[in-house]
Amino acid sequence: MKTNAFEVASRYVYPSLRRRLVEILREKGLKQTQIAELLHITQSAVSRYLRMDRGALIDVAQFPDIDDGLKKLAEEIIQKRPTEYEIHLRLVQISLEMLSKGYVCSFHSQIDPELNPAQCRVCLELFG
């Protein structure tokens, strides 16, 4: 295994979750500048997420439970305006949830041909 679970989470899962969160906020009618302010990121980063230049490798919307969690987070962000660290904490928790449920295994095997998802139980055992 050349690419470990933590690397997959930080390089692929987290950005994909953030991209989906930006999309959800956009679907709610918010402008890029508003989204940037709420998420404590630049408007340029929001634009890159929306253009699929960043975080586009995993379609998070295909996992209804994860997508629902992001929709709830989006509502909390709009209503409560949490800090950058509170948002980060929630995104990391959702990332770990994705790993614990095995949602990332097939993607992981695509970027690391040495990985055999049928034999690897690292994420399931660590986070499940």
Side-chain angles (χ1 to χ4, degrees):
M1 182 181 340
K2 292 182 181 175
T3 308
N4 68 52
F6 293 105
E7 193 172 357
V8 171
S10 67
R11 291 179 64 196
Y12 303 102
V13 176
Y14 187 96
S16 295
L17 290 170
R18 193 182 243 183
R19 178 191 52 79
R20 181 64 184 136
L21 183 58
V22 166
E23 287 177 342
I24 292 166
L25 291 168
R26 185 73 170 137
E27 290 166 6
K28 292 187 175 294
L30 297 174
K31 296 179 180 180
Q32 289 185 19
T33 53
Q34 294 170 307
I35 295 169
E37 182 182 321
L38 286 170
L39 296 181
H40 309 278
I41 60 178
T42 65
Q43 183 274 326
S44 174
V46 170
S47 177
R48 288 194 301 272
Y49 284 122
L50 292 172
R51 284 194 324 256
M52 304 288 275
D53 290 344
R54 188 185 269 189
L57 294 176
I58 300 174
D59 178 16
V60 176
Q62 71 178 312
F63 308 110
D65 55 335
I66 300 299
D67 206 45
D68 287 345
L70 289 172
K71 288 175 182 175
K72 288 177 188 170
L73 177 57
E75 282 299 324
E76 289 175 29
I77 289 170
I78 292 168
Q79 293 173 10
K80 298 180 182 176
R81 298 187 178 268
T83 68
E84 174 182 3
Y85 302 104
E86 292 167 326
I87 295 169
H88 174 68
L89 173 65
R90 289 291 301 283
L91 288 173
V92 168
Q93 289 171 333
I94 296 170
S95 296
L96 295 177
E97 181 181 353
M98 283 187 70
L99 294 171
S100 75
K101 292 181 176 183
Y103 291 165
V104 184
C105 296
S106 62
F107 175 77
H108 191 175
S109 67
Q110 290 173 12
I111 61 169
D112 188 348
E114 291 182 11
L115 179 76
N116 180 349
Q119 292 178 335
C120 180
R121 297 195 42 81
V122 172
C123 293
L124 300 176
E125 290 182 20
L126 275 176
F127 310 116

